[in-house]
mmCIF file of all heavy atoms in Angstrom:
data_model
loop_
_atom_site.group_PDB
_atom_site.id
_atom_site.type_symbol
_atom_site.label_atom_id
_atom_site.label_comp_id
_atom_site.label_asym_id
_atom_site.label_seq_id
_atom_site.Cartn_x
_atom_site.Cartn_y
_atom_site.Cartn_z
ATOM 1 N N GLU A 532 -36.844 -2.120 104.480
ATOM 2 C CA GLU A 532 -37.523 -0.955 105.029
ATOM 3 C C GLU A 532 -38.104 -1.225 106.410
ATOM 4 O O GLU A 532 -38.204 -0.323 107.252
ATOM 5 C CB GLU A 532 -38.651 -0.490 104.107
ATOM 6 C CG GLU A 532 -38.203 0.118 102.812
ATOM 7 C CD GLU A 532 -37.903 -0.930 101.755
ATOM 8 O OE1 GLU A 532 -38.068 -2.133 102.059
ATOM 9 O OE2 GLU A 532 -37.483 -0.557 100.659
ATOM 10 N N ALA A 533 -38.430 -2.483 106.675
ATOM 11 C CA ALA A 533 -39.105 -2.803 107.930
ATOM 12 C C ALA A 533 -38.217 -2.603 109.148
ATOM 13 O O ALA A 533 -38.704 -2.389 110.255
ATOM 14 C CB ALA A 533 -39.611 -4.249 107.885
ATOM 15 N N VAL A 534 -36.926 -2.691 108.936
ATOM 16 C CA VAL A 534 -36.029 -2.594 110.088
ATOM 17 C C VAL A 534 -35.161 -1.328 110.052
ATOM 18 O O VAL A 534 -34.197 -1.196 110.802
ATOM 19 C CB VAL A 534 -35.115 -3.830 110.157
ATOM 20 C CG1 VAL A 534 -35.897 -5.085 110.417
ATOM 21 C CG2 VAL A 534 -34.273 -3.950 108.892
ATOM 22 N N GLU A 535 -35.453 -0.365 109.123
ATOM 23 C CA GLU A 535 -34.638 0.852 109.032
ATOM 24 C C GLU A 535 -34.688 1.664 110.337
ATOM 25 O O GLU A 535 -33.687 2.244 110.758
ATOM 26 C CB GLU A 535 -35.112 1.702 107.847
ATOM 27 C CG GLU A 535 -34.702 1.124 106.505
ATOM 28 C CD GLU A 535 -35.172 1.956 105.344
ATOM 29 O OE1 GLU A 535 -35.895 2.960 105.584
ATOM 30 O OE2 GLU A 535 -34.816 1.627 104.213
ATOM 31 N N ARG A 536 -35.847 1.709 110.945
ATOM 32 C CA ARG A 536 -35.942 2.435 112.213
ATOM 33 C C ARG A 536 -35.054 1.809 113.279
ATOM 34 O O ARG A 536 -34.387 2.505 114.047
ATOM 35 C CB ARG A 536 -37.398 2.437 112.672
ATOM 36 C CG ARG A 536 -37.601 3.156 114.019
ATOM 37 C CD ARG A 536 -39.067 3.215 114.364
ATOM 38 N NE ARG A 536 -39.669 1.902 114.366
ATOM 39 C CZ ARG A 536 -39.623 1.076 115.407
ATOM 40 N NH1 ARG A 536 -38.993 1.433 116.491
ATOM 41 N NH2 ARG A 536 -40.200 -0.107 115.340
ATOM 42 N N ASN A 537 -35.005 0.479 113.333
ATOM 43 C CA ASN A 537 -34.156 -0.205 114.301
ATOM 44 C C ASN A 537 -32.669 0.035 114.011
ATOM 45 O O ASN A 537 -31.837 0.156 114.911
ATOM 46 C CB ASN A 537 -34.448 -1.707 114.276
ATOM 47 C CG ASN A 537 -35.835 -2.028 114.795
ATOM 48 O OD1 ASN A 537 -36.036 -2.095 115.992
ATOM 49 N ND2 ASN A 537 -36.790 -2.196 113.885
ATOM 50 N N GLN A 538 -32.375 0.107 112.703
ATOM 51 C CA GLN A 538 -30.972 0.382 112.336
ATOM 52 C C GLN A 538 -30.518 1.747 112.857
ATOM 53 O O GLN A 538 -29.440 1.882 113.452
ATOM 54 C CB GLN A 538 -30.837 0.324 110.817
ATOM 55 C CG GLN A 538 -29.458 0.744 110.311
ATOM 56 C CD GLN A 538 -29.392 0.743 108.795
ATOM 57 O OE1 GLN A 538 -29.904 -0.157 108.135
ATOM 58 N NE2 GLN A 538 -28.775 1.761 108.250
ATOM 59 N N ALA A 539 -31.328 2.782 112.630
ATOM 60 C CA ALA A 539 -30.961 4.127 113.073
ATOM 61 C C ALA A 539 -30.842 4.188 114.602
ATOM 62 O O ALA A 539 -29.921 4.812 115.157
ATOM 63 C CB ALA A 539 -31.989 5.140 112.578
ATOM 64 N N MET A 540 -31.807 3.501 115.263
ATOM 65 C CA MET A 540 -31.774 3.504 116.728
ATOM 66 C C MET A 540 -30.516 2.826 117.254
ATOM 67 O O MET A 540 -29.845 3.314 118.179
ATOM 68 C CB MET A 540 -33.010 2.779 117.259
ATOM 69 C CG MET A 540 -33.033 2.650 118.784
ATOM 70 S SD MET A 540 -34.113 1.319 119.335
ATOM 71 C CE MET A 540 -33.200 -0.107 118.790
ATOM 72 N N MET A 541 -30.166 1.721 116.655
ATOM 73 C CA MET A 541 -28.981 0.998 117.099
ATOM 74 C C MET A 541 -27.707 1.837 116.936
ATOM 75 O O MET A 541 -26.871 1.932 117.844
ATOM 76 C CB MET A 541 -28.851 -0.302 116.310
ATOM 77 C CG MET A 541 -27.623 -1.129 116.683
ATOM 78 S SD MET A 541 -27.191 -2.303 115.395
ATOM 79 C CE MET A 541 -26.657 -1.207 114.118
ATOM 80 N N VAL A 542 -27.585 2.459 115.762
ATOM 81 C CA VAL A 542 -26.385 3.273 115.504
ATOM 82 C C VAL A 542 -26.284 4.411 116.514
ATOM 83 O O VAL A 542 -25.211 4.695 117.074
ATOM 84 C CB VAL A 542 -26.413 3.818 114.070
ATOM 85 C CG1 VAL A 542 -25.277 4.827 113.850
ATOM 86 C CG2 VAL A 542 -26.296 2.676 113.064
ATOM 87 N N GLU A 543 -27.371 5.111 116.760
ATOM 88 C CA GLU A 543 -27.352 6.240 117.681
ATOM 89 C C GLU A 543 -26.987 5.815 119.099
ATOM 90 O O GLU A 543 -26.178 6.459 119.783
ATOM 91 C CB GLU A 543 -28.719 6.944 117.661
ATOM 92 C CG GLU A 543 -28.825 8.136 118.606
ATOM 93 C CD GLU A 543 -27.799 9.208 118.300
ATOM 94 O OE1 GLU A 543 -27.330 9.291 117.148
ATOM 95 O OE2 GLU A 543 -27.456 9.968 119.229
ATOM 96 N N LYS A 544 -27.573 4.701 119.542
ATOM 97 C CA LYS A 544 -27.273 4.229 120.905
ATOM 98 C C LYS A 544 -25.806 3.856 121.056
ATOM 99 O O LYS A 544 -25.156 4.178 122.066
ATOM 100 C CB LYS A 544 -28.142 3.009 121.229
ATOM 101 C CG LYS A 544 -29.624 3.313 121.377
ATOM 102 C CD LYS A 544 -29.916 4.052 122.670
ATOM 103 C CE LYS A 544 -31.406 4.231 122.885
ATOM 104 N NZ LYS A 544 -31.705 4.969 124.125
ATOM 105 N N MET A 545 -25.293 3.153 120.051
ATOM 106 C CA MET A 545 -23.880 2.764 120.124
ATOM 107 C C MET A 545 -22.965 3.990 120.100
ATOM 108 O O MET A 545 -21.958 4.051 120.812
ATOM 109 C CB MET A 545 -23.536 1.822 118.969
ATOM 110 C CG MET A 545 -24.110 0.424 119.120
ATOM 111 S SD MET A 545 -23.576 -0.676 117.786
ATOM 112 C CE MET A 545 -24.285 -2.228 118.344
ATOM 113 N N GLU A 546 -23.298 4.964 119.248
ATOM 114 C CA GLU A 546 -22.488 6.182 119.195
ATOM 115 C C GLU A 546 -22.536 6.926 120.533
ATOM 116 O O GLU A 546 -21.533 7.490 120.987
ATOM 117 C CB GLU A 546 -22.982 7.098 118.063
ATOM 118 C CG GLU A 546 -22.654 6.608 116.678
ATOM 119 C CD GLU A 546 -21.176 6.712 116.346
ATOM 120 O OE1 GLU A 546 -20.402 7.250 117.164
ATOM 121 O OE2 GLU A 546 -20.782 6.240 115.286
ATOM 122 N N GLN A 547 -23.681 6.912 121.164
ATOM 123 C CA GLN A 547 -23.796 7.567 122.468
ATOM 124 C C GLN A 547 -22.880 6.912 123.499
ATOM 125 O O GLN A 547 -22.192 7.590 124.265
ATOM 126 C CB GLN A 547 -25.255 7.528 122.951
ATOM 127 C CG GLN A 547 -26.167 8.511 122.241
ATOM 128 C CD GLN A 547 -27.598 8.412 122.737
ATOM 129 O OE1 GLN A 547 -27.927 7.574 123.583
ATOM 130 N NE2 GLN A 547 -28.466 9.271 122.202
ATOM 131 N N GLU A 548 -22.879 5.586 123.509
ATOM 132 C CA GLU A 548 -22.012 4.905 124.457
ATOM 133 C C GLU A 548 -20.530 5.170 124.156
ATOM 134 O O GLU A 548 -19.723 5.339 125.059
ATOM 135 C CB GLU A 548 -22.289 3.397 124.442
ATOM 136 C CG GLU A 548 -23.615 3.033 125.091
ATOM 137 C CD GLU A 548 -23.685 1.562 125.467
ATOM 138 O OE1 GLU A 548 -22.616 0.924 125.562
ATOM 139 O OE2 GLU A 548 -24.781 1.070 125.649
ATOM 140 N N HIS A 549 -20.213 5.199 122.868
ATOM 141 C CA HIS A 549 -18.819 5.514 122.524
ATOM 142 C C HIS A 549 -18.449 6.937 122.954
ATOM 143 O O HIS A 549 -17.349 7.183 123.447
ATOM 144 C CB HIS A 549 -18.590 5.362 121.021
ATOM 145 C CG HIS A 549 -17.258 5.898 120.581
ATOM 146 N ND1 HIS A 549 -16.079 5.284 120.897
ATOM 147 C CD2 HIS A 549 -16.937 7.026 119.880
ATOM 148 C CE1 HIS A 549 -15.066 5.996 120.412
ATOM 149 N NE2 HIS A 549 -15.567 7.065 119.788
ATOM 150 N N ARG A 550 -19.378 7.893 122.735
ATOM 151 C CA ARG A 550 -19.091 9.271 123.133
ATOM 152 C C ARG A 550 -18.870 9.390 124.635
ATOM 153 O O ARG A 550 -18.031 10.176 125.094
ATOM 154 C CB ARG A 550 -20.227 10.189 122.665
ATOM 155 C CG ARG A 550 -20.212 10.475 121.170
ATOM 156 C CD ARG A 550 -21.117 11.641 120.830
ATOM 157 N NE ARG A 550 -22.522 11.322 121.018
ATOM 158 C CZ ARG A 550 -23.299 10.808 120.091
ATOM 159 N NH1 ARG A 550 -22.799 10.534 118.883
ATOM 160 N NH2 ARG A 550 -24.571 10.568 120.324
ATOM 161 N N VAL A 551 -19.644 8.597 125.395
ATOM 162 C CA VAL A 551 -19.437 8.591 126.853
ATOM 163 C C VAL A 551 -18.032 8.079 127.173
ATOM 164 O O VAL A 551 -17.306 8.645 128.002
ATOM 165 C CB VAL A 551 -20.507 7.727 127.553
ATOM 166 C CG1 VAL A 551 -20.148 7.531 129.030
ATOM 167 C CG2 VAL A 551 -21.878 8.389 127.433
ATOM 168 N N THR A 552 -17.652 6.978 126.505
ATOM 169 C CA THR A 552 -16.311 6.417 126.713
ATOM 170 C C THR A 552 -15.233 7.414 126.302
ATOM 171 O O THR A 552 -14.244 7.636 127.015
ATOM 172 C CB THR A 552 -16.137 5.127 125.891
ATOM 173 O OG1 THR A 552 -17.136 4.174 126.305
ATOM 174 C CG2 THR A 552 -14.747 4.528 126.098
ATOM 175 N N GLU A 553 -15.444 8.041 125.132
ATOM 176 C CA GLU A 553 -14.463 8.996 124.627
ATOM 177 C C GLU A 553 -14.353 10.219 125.533
ATOM 178 O O GLU A 553 -13.259 10.712 125.826
ATOM 179 C CB GLU A 553 -14.859 9.418 123.217
ATOM 180 C CG GLU A 553 -13.802 10.263 122.511
ATOM 181 C CD GLU A 553 -14.216 10.567 121.092
ATOM 182 O OE1 GLU A 553 -15.384 10.966 120.879
ATOM 183 O OE2 GLU A 553 -13.386 10.385 120.188
ATOM 184 N N LYS A 554 -15.493 10.704 125.987
ATOM 185 C CA LYS A 554 -15.496 11.884 126.867
ATOM 186 C C LYS A 554 -14.773 11.596 128.177
ATOM 187 O O LYS A 554 -14.017 12.427 128.687
ATOM 188 C CB LYS A 554 -16.940 12.328 127.131
ATOM 189 C CG LYS A 554 -17.036 13.625 127.924
ATOM 190 C CD LYS A 554 -18.485 14.055 128.062
ATOM 191 C CE LYS A 554 -18.581 15.367 128.851
ATOM 192 N NZ LYS A 554 -19.996 15.806 128.992
ATOM 193 N N LYS A 555 -15.019 10.387 128.698
ATOM 194 C CA LYS A 555 -14.348 10.028 129.951
ATOM 195 C C LYS A 555 -12.837 9.949 129.742
ATOM 196 O O LYS A 555 -12.050 10.453 130.547
ATOM 197 C CB LYS A 555 -14.885 8.685 130.450
ATOM 198 C CG LYS A 555 -14.283 8.254 131.789
ATOM 199 C CD LYS A 555 -14.912 6.949 132.288
ATOM 200 C CE LYS A 555 -16.360 7.189 132.679
ATOM 201 N NZ LYS A 555 -16.965 5.983 133.308
ATOM 202 N N ALA A 556 -12.405 9.321 128.632
ATOM 203 C CA ALA A 556 -10.969 9.216 128.346
ATOM 204 C C ALA A 556 -10.350 10.594 128.147
ATOM 205 O O ALA A 556 -9.251 10.877 128.627
ATOM 206 C CB ALA A 556 -10.740 8.344 127.104
ATOM 207 N N GLU A 557 -11.057 11.477 127.423
ATOM 208 C CA GLU A 557 -10.533 12.835 127.198
ATOM 209 C C GLU A 557 -10.405 13.602 128.507
ATOM 210 O O GLU A 557 -9.463 14.385 128.687
ATOM 211 C CB GLU A 557 -11.446 13.585 126.231
ATOM 212 C CG GLU A 557 -11.341 13.078 124.806
ATOM 213 C CD GLU A 557 -12.362 13.741 123.877
ATOM 214 O OE1 GLU A 557 -13.264 14.451 124.396
ATOM 215 O OE2 GLU A 557 -12.258 13.543 122.663
ATOM 216 N N GLY A 558 -11.365 13.379 129.402
ATOM 217 C CA GLY A 558 -11.267 14.029 130.719
ATOM 218 C C GLY A 558 -10.042 13.560 131.485
ATOM 219 O O GLY A 558 -9.329 14.369 132.102
ATOM 220 N N TYR A 559 -9.798 12.224 131.433
ATOM 221 C CA TYR A 559 -8.606 11.689 132.098
ATOM 222 C C TYR A 559 -7.331 12.266 131.469
ATOM 223 O O TYR A 559 -6.384 12.640 132.177
ATOM 224 C CB TYR A 559 -8.580 10.158 131.979
ATOM 225 C CG TYR A 559 -9.594 9.448 132.841
ATOM 226 C CD1 TYR A 559 -10.037 8.165 132.502
ATOM 227 C CD2 TYR A 559 -10.107 10.030 133.989
ATOM 228 C CE1 TYR A 559 -10.968 7.489 133.284
ATOM 229 C CE2 TYR A 559 -11.043 9.369 134.774
ATOM 230 C CZ TYR A 559 -11.472 8.102 134.421
ATOM 231 O OH TYR A 559 -12.372 7.442 135.214
ATOM 232 N N ILE A 560 -7.323 12.295 130.134
ATOM 233 C CA ILE A 560 -6.127 12.795 129.436
ATOM 234 C C ILE A 560 -5.861 14.250 129.796
ATOM 235 O O ILE A 560 -4.726 14.652 130.053
ATOM 236 C CB ILE A 560 -6.301 12.632 127.917
ATOM 237 C CG1 ILE A 560 -6.255 11.145 127.541
ATOM 238 C CG2 ILE A 560 -5.217 13.387 127.152
ATOM 239 C CD1 ILE A 560 -6.611 10.861 126.098
ATOM 240 N N LYS A 561 -6.912 15.057 129.798
ATOM 241 C CA LYS A 561 -6.742 16.477 130.135
ATOM 242 C C LYS A 561 -6.201 16.641 131.553
ATOM 243 O O LYS A 561 -5.321 17.473 131.807
ATOM 244 C CB LYS A 561 -8.085 17.198 129.991
ATOM 245 C CG LYS A 561 -7.989 18.698 130.207
ATOM 246 C CD LYS A 561 -9.332 19.358 129.954
ATOM 247 C CE LYS A 561 -9.234 20.871 130.150
ATOM 248 N NZ LYS A 561 -10.546 21.539 129.911
ATOM 249 N N GLU A 562 -6.723 15.822 132.472
ATOM 250 C CA GLU A 562 -6.266 15.919 133.864
ATOM 251 C C GLU A 562 -4.791 15.515 134.001
ATOM 252 O O GLU A 562 -4.009 16.156 134.697
ATOM 253 C CB GLU A 562 -7.136 15.016 134.743
ATOM 254 C CG GLU A 562 -6.896 15.206 136.249
ATOM 255 C CD GLU A 562 -7.864 14.403 137.076
ATOM 256 O OE1 GLU A 562 -8.823 13.815 136.502
ATOM 257 O OE2 GLU A 562 -7.674 14.339 138.293
ATOM 258 N N ILE A 563 -4.411 14.445 133.273
ATOM 259 C CA ILE A 563 -3.016 13.990 133.344
ATOM 260 C C ILE A 563 -2.094 15.001 132.676
ATOM 261 O O ILE A 563 -0.991 15.266 133.161
ATOM 262 C CB ILE A 563 -2.872 12.605 132.673
ATOM 263 C CG1 ILE A 563 -3.585 11.538 133.512
ATOM 264 C CG2 ILE A 563 -1.406 12.218 132.545
ATOM 265 C CD1 ILE A 563 -3.492 10.150 132.958
ATOM 266 N N GLU A 564 -2.539 15.565 131.534
ATOM 267 C CA GLU A 564 -1.702 16.566 130.867
ATOM 268 C C GLU A 564 -1.450 17.776 131.759
ATOM 269 O O GLU A 564 -0.368 18.360 131.744
ATOM 270 C CB GLU A 564 -2.365 17.007 129.556
ATOM 271 C CG GLU A 564 -2.276 15.956 128.468
ATOM 272 C CD GLU A 564 -3.010 16.371 127.202
ATOM 273 O OE1 GLU A 564 -3.889 17.259 127.284
ATOM 274 O OE2 GLU A 564 -2.718 15.793 126.137
ATOM 275 N N GLN A 565 -2.466 18.140 132.552
ATOM 276 C CA GLN A 565 -2.265 19.249 133.506
ATOM 277 C C GLN A 565 -1.247 18.860 134.566
ATOM 278 O O GLN A 565 -0.392 19.673 134.960
ATOM 279 C CB GLN A 565 -3.603 19.618 134.162
ATOM 280 C CG GLN A 565 -3.498 20.778 135.148
ATOM 281 C CD GLN A 565 -2.998 22.049 134.502
ATOM 282 O OE1 GLN A 565 -3.466 22.434 133.444
ATOM 283 N NE2 GLN A 565 -2.017 22.695 135.123
#
């Protein structure tokens, strides 16, 4: 229980970075598909 808050924070931060990576890749893909 002592580290549950850190666990949630870690997961959210990592997901945010992945979403940034994914969004950038999707933008590139959309531009190339055009």
Side-chain angles (χ1 to χ4, degrees):
E532 290 83 1
V534 295
E535 286 180 356
R536 179 176 55 84
N537 293 279
Q538 174 183 318
M540 177 201 70
M541 179 200 68
V542 172
E543 179 59 25
K544 291 287 186 181
M545 287 184 175
E546 288 289 355
Q547 285 179 357
E548 288 198 19
H549 170 70
R550 285 194 291 270
V551 170
T552 301
E553 188 176 47
K554 186 176 180 180
K555 182 177 291 186
E557 288 174 350
Y559 287 156
I560 290 172
K561 185 176 181 180
E562 189 174 352
I563 291 181
E564 286 177 340
Q565 181 60 47

